[in-house]
Amino acid sequence: MSEQARSVRDFNRYYSQRIGLLTDRYLGQDRPLSEARLLYEIGTGASVRDLRTRLGWDSGYLSRSLRSLEGQGLVQLRAHETDGRVRVAELTAAGTAELAELERRSTAAASELLAPLTVSQRAELIAAQHRTRQLLRLAAVTVEVVEADSAAARHCLTEYAAELSIRFPEGYDTRALVDPAEVSGAGGAFLVGYEQGRPIGCGGIRTLGPGTAELCHLWVHGDARGLGLGRRLLAELERQAVTRSLHTVRLGTHRSLSEAATLYRSAGYHQIPVYGDSPYNQLCFERTLADDVPGKAAPSLDPGGVRLQFAGGRRGG
Amino acid sequence: MSEQARSVRDFNRYYSQRIGLLTDRYLGQDRPLSEARLLYEIGTGASVRDLRTRLGWDSGYLSRSLRSLEGQGLVQLRAHETDGRVRVAELTAAGTAELAELERRSTAAASELLAPLTVSQRAELIAAQHRTRQLLRLAAVTVEVVEADSAAARHCLTEYAAELSIRFPEGYDTRALVDPAEVSGAGGAFLVGYEQGRPIGCGGIRTLGPGTAELCHLWVHGDARGLGLGRRLLAELERQAVTRSLHTVRLGTHRSLSEAATLYRSAGYHQIPVYGDSPYNQLCFERTLADDVPGKAAPSLDPGGVRLQFAGGRRGG
DNA sequence: AGAGATCTCTGACTATAGTCAGAGAAGTGA
DNA sequence: TCACTTCTCTGACTATAGTCAGAGATCTCT
């Protein structure tokens, strides 16, 4: 673990050197890097408030930067339609052109970087970067036990239901959603995964009978598929089951969700006869859990390590 | 290509955000990031001159930074043994402790980053980062045709000979090195690969007979093995052969250099009877080249791309 | 020995990226 | 309506990172 941490650290060190060359010298060639970032963040238009949280900047600093871009004719500010306090920044024609130029430049820099590689090496680099990024995104996701009727949980379940109603040929009846009381407290749990504060996945367990849990509503946002979040949520739900002495986990899924069946099979679930009366239970799985669930969550840091704050970002007074 | 460039660019953008959090907030928590970098770069001791080139800093800036670290009791400066102009920076006991603390912190930050991942996901991340870095390093290497008696070429050949004299049970006699005149001009060529200005690999071809070239002294520095540089040098040497109308390339290698034999085989070479009178030619290979050598060097940029300066770094007035 | 190059250092300056306090306008809930 | 909050903005300040010119010591080459 510690050796792996060192490897990650060295990669960061190497990459920050390389990236420094790229971003500093090319992206922001004619203008401060901060202004370039701001232009990029404004994109098709954003409220000052959103920009402030997205960039994590001081309001004074942001205001001044916007004033500067406005002075250069790249940005226009107007009042929000409904909230008179809020101002909305939009790119002017010149600003849009400038952003396009920045994009062109950074893409060209990336092209230049790829140029010396052979075709297969390039493909390999793209794939390795892609996987690196996926795993880093996954590592940045925090999974929390929440109330099933909290805003985050309801948000996820709404998206979940909306997606199923599209994917199931027969549609999806939201009355099939679990009763919040069942996935909470001593008999159940509901988990939500957040990426930078935004809920991007969920899942619940409830007690089905003595020692038996049912897993339900495991869902990952379309943007976040392929990261391995489903697997992580599943492992975490299993841990929740074990702490409630529920050593048998079963679940039903729909025939059209083939990737779900694949996930359960690869996580050690075996198919069982269909149970329950839900019309959406077309394929059922079960698994018996040992007391220590494999694929379990984060072991603690190596002994010498301090606990550092990560998520959120600000210095955390 | 352009899509790949966009993918690389997006990765850079994502990673620079992540990295910003890491380096700014953790590495340089108590002191400016630049001082932390300088401490790291001094390590076990380095001349001011080397630091200047390694960090790419202005001499005034570096001098002042060193003065600051000296004032904090972390660094001591002394004169160079042989060159009175040069000053050498060394960490004091306090400096060494401080560096260890920085290392510990950044390793802990990396640990924290890995924590949410499963064991196999961690291994995957390490592997993907490793490959990413290898390919980026390879992409940053420039391969140039040089005079075989230039400083860079002699440097490589010296290291090459030193390594062979260790690896060959019978040692290596430097009189077996090729005559510089043979690997230059119309009948030959000598290539050196540079990573950030430092020679890290070489190789030559000379004319053996009509239409036949001999490849010799293909070498990659220990630090740079596994990048794919040997393959790149080989491909480039083959291109040089073709431009000289040498369509048959042969070479001899030593039985103890198994990785070399593997490289040649995988690059399309087949074994031939031993030729020549060198005692080190124990395993010989040959390949016939078409006019366009596969695995050839960098295709040009996509049409819209500008040519940007990369190597070297400074703004290039 | 002398010319020219190299190396380090100091002084003076600039640009970028922030931070902090507080004012004033606009919304929100009792 | 009134207290409170939210949002944006301005003024004043600081830290970090860097640039440029030139002085003085030392080395190298002829």
Side-chain angles (χ1 to χ4, degrees):
Chain A
M1 169 78 170
S2 159
E3 194 188 326
Q4 289 186 322
R6 231 169 290 128
S7 171
V8 168
R9 184 200 67 190
D10 291 345
F11 179 77
N12 288 346
R13 203 167 269 159
Y14 177 79
Y15 215 84
S16 62
Q17 283 177 359
R18 289 300 300 269
I19 252 177
L21 286 179
L22 261 78
T23 47
D24 297 0
R25 307 244 165 250
Y26 303 103
L27 184 59
Q29 213 155 28
D30 302 338
R31 65 184 68 256
L33 191 56
S34 60
E35 286 189 359
R37 278 214 286 159
L38 180 50
L39 274 179
Y40 177 73
E41 213 60 52
I42 292 172
T44 55
S47 71
V48 173
R49 183 164 156 263
D50 285 354
L51 292 172
R52 191 147 30 78
T53 57
R54 286 219 295 267
L55 289 161
W57 287 3
D58 173 85
S59 67
Y61 184 44
L62 175 57
S63 183
R64 232 181 310 275
S65 301
L66 284 168
R67 211 66 44 232
S68 162
L69 290 179
E70 209 178 15
Q72 294 167 61
L74 302 177
V75 162
Q76 269 187 332
L77 285 134
R78 59 170 178 77
H80 193 269
E81 282 99 44
T82 58
D83 190 336
R85 295 167 302 182
V86 177
R87 301 247 286 158
V88 175
E90 277 168 351
L91 298 182
T92 62
T96 307
E98 181 67 23
L99 178 58
E101 170 63 18
L102 287 174
E103 293 280 319
R104 201 188 60 69
R105 252 192 235 158
S106 58
T107 306
S111 278
E112 182 77 1
L113 184 146
L114 286 173
L117 299 179
T118 65
V119 171
S120 66
Q121 284 169 335
R122 275 178 218 167
E124 230 190 316
L125 176 60
I126 302 299
Q129 286 192 333
H130 182 70
R131 193 72 195 123
T132 300
R133 183 171 166 181
Q134 279 188 323
L135 288 163
L136 287 172
R137 280 185 66 189
L138 177 60
V141 170
T142 57
V143 173
E144 283 172 33
V145 179
V146 302
E147 292 300 313
D149 56 358
S150 64
R154 273 184 290 116
H155 172 83
C156 287
L157 289 175
T158 305
E159 294 227 23
Y160 167 76
E163 186 179 337
L164 294 191
S165 75
I166 292 168
R167 292 191 63 180
F168 293 177
E170 71 274 28
Y172 183 76
D173 183 346
T174 54
R175 282 172 300 181
L177 288 175
V178 72
D179 173 5
E182 288 190 75
V183 288
S184 65
F190 196 80
L191 302 181
V192 168
Y194 299 87
E195 184 177 35
Q196 286 170 273
R198 174 177 158 246
I200 54 156
C202 68
I205 49 160
R206 63 172 167 179
T207 301
L208 212 60
T212 301
E214 181 179 48
L215 200 146
C216 60
H217 305 339
L218 184 65
W219 170 79
V220 173
H221 193 286
D223 289 350
R225 301 228 169 114
L227 303 186
L229 179 56
R231 194 169 298 270
R232 204 174 133 197
L233 285 166
L234 180 56
E236 193 58 41
L237 286 166
E238 288 171 347
R239 293 218 310 157
Q240 294 292 334
V242 167
T243 63
R244 286 167 179 77
S245 300
L246 305 168
H247 286 81
T248 300
V249 176
R250 55 172 60 180
L251 62 97
T253 184
H254 194 276
R255 216 172 280 117
S256 64
L257 303 178
S258 57
E259 74 279 20
T262 306
L263 169 63
Y264 296 125
R265 283 208 177 85
S266 82
Y269 284 74
H270 62 272
Q271 203 173 335
I272 55 169
V274 169
Y275 71 90
D277 50 4
S278 163
Y280 307 122
N281 274 17
Q282 299 180 346
L283 220 58
C284 295
F285 293 93
E286 188 176 290
R287 182 181 174 208
T288 306
L289 304 175
D291 263 330
D292 59 326
V293 181
K296 70 182 179 189
S300 63
L301 289 178
D302 40 356
V306 252
R307 198 86 195 164
L308 295 167
Q309 279 295 104
F310 246 82
R314 300 302 85 201
R315 193 165 275 168
Chain B
M1 171 76 170
S2 159
E3 195 189 325
Q4 289 186 323
R6 233 169 288 129
S7 171
V8 168
R9 183 200 67 190
D10 290 346
F11 180 77
N12 289 346
R13 200 167 271 159
Y14 178 79
Y15 214 84
S16 62
Q17 283 177 1
R18 289 300 300 269
I19 252 176
L21 287 178
L22 260 79
T23 47
D24 296 359
R25 306 242 165 250
Y26 304 103
L27 183 60
Q29 213 153 29
D30 303 338
R31 66 184 66 259
L33 190 57
S34 60
E35 286 190 359
R37 278 214 287 160
L38 180 50
L39 274 179
Y40 177 74
E41 213 60 52
I42 292 172
T44 55
S47 70
V48 173
R49 182 163 155 266
D50 285 354
L51 292 172
R52 193 147 28 79
T53 57
R54 285 219 294 268
L55 289 161
W57 288 3
D58 174 84
S59 67
Y61 183 44
L62 175 57
S63 183
R64 231 181 311 274
S65 301
L66 284 169
R67 210 66 43 232
S68 162
L69 290 179
E70 207 177 17
Q72 294 167 60
L74 303 177
V75 162
Q76 270 187 333
L77 285 135
R78 58 169 180 76
H80 194 268
E81 283 98 43
T82 57
D83 189 335
R85 296 166 302 181
V86 176
R87 301 246 286 158
V88 175
E90 278 169 350
L91 297 182
T92 62
T96 308
E98 180 67 22
L99 178 59
E101 169 64 16
L102 287 174
E103 293 280 320
R104 201 189 59 68
R105 250 191 236 158
S106 58
T107 306
S111 277
E112 182 77 359
L113 184 146
L114 286 173
L117 298 179
T118 66
V119 171
S120 65
Q121 284 170 337
R122 276 178 217 166
E124 230 191 314
L125 177 60
I126 303 299
Q129 285 192 333
H130 183 69
R131 194 70 195 125
T132 300
R133 182 172 166 180
Q134 279 188 323
L135 288 163
L136 287 171
R137 281 186 67 190
L138 177 60
V141 170
T142 56
V143 173
E144 282 172 34
V145 179
V146 302
E147 291 301 312
D149 57 357
S150 64
R154 273 186 288 115
H155 171 83
C156 287
L157 289 175
T158 306
E159 295 226 22
Y160 167 77
E163 186 180 335
L164 294 191
S165 75
I166 292 167
R167 292 192 63 180
F168 292 176
E170 72 273 28
Y172 184 76
D173 183 347
T174 54
R175 282 172 300 180
L177 289 174
V178 73
D179 173 6
E182 288 190 75
V183 288
S184 65
F190 196 82
L191 301 181
V192 167
Y194 299 88
E195 184 178 34
Q196 286 171 273
R198 174 177 158 245
I200 53 157
C202 69
I205 49 160
R206 62 171 167 178
T207 302
L208 212 62
T212 301
E214 181 178 49
L215 200 147
C216 61
H217 305 339
L218 183 65
W219 169 80
V220 173
H221 193 286
D223 290 348
R225 299 219 175 123
L227 303 187
L229 179 55
R231 196 169 296 271
R232 206 174 132 194
L233 285 166
L234 180 56
E236 193 59 40
L237 286 166
E238 289 171 347
R239 293 217 310 157
Q240 294 291 334
V242 166
T243 63
R244 285 166 180 77
S245 299
L246 305 167
H247 285 81
T248 300
V249 176
R250 55 172 58 180
L251 62 96
T253 184
H254 193 276
R255 218 173 278 115
S256 64
L257 302 178
S258 57
E259 75 280 19
T262 306
L263 169 63
Y264 296 125
R265 283 207 178 84
S266 83
Y269 284 73
H270 61 273
Q271 202 174 337
I272 55 169
V274 168
Y275 71 90
D277 49 5
S278 162
Y280 308 122
N281 274 15
Q282 299 179 346
L283 220 56
C284 296
F285 293 92
E286 189 176 291
R287 183 179 173 210
T288 305
L289 304 176
D291 263 329
D292 59 326
V293 181
K296 69 181 181 193
S300 63
L301 289 178
D302 41 355
V306 252
R307 198 86 197 164
L308 295 167
Q309 278 297 103
F310 245 82
R314 302 298 88 201
R315 194 165 279 170

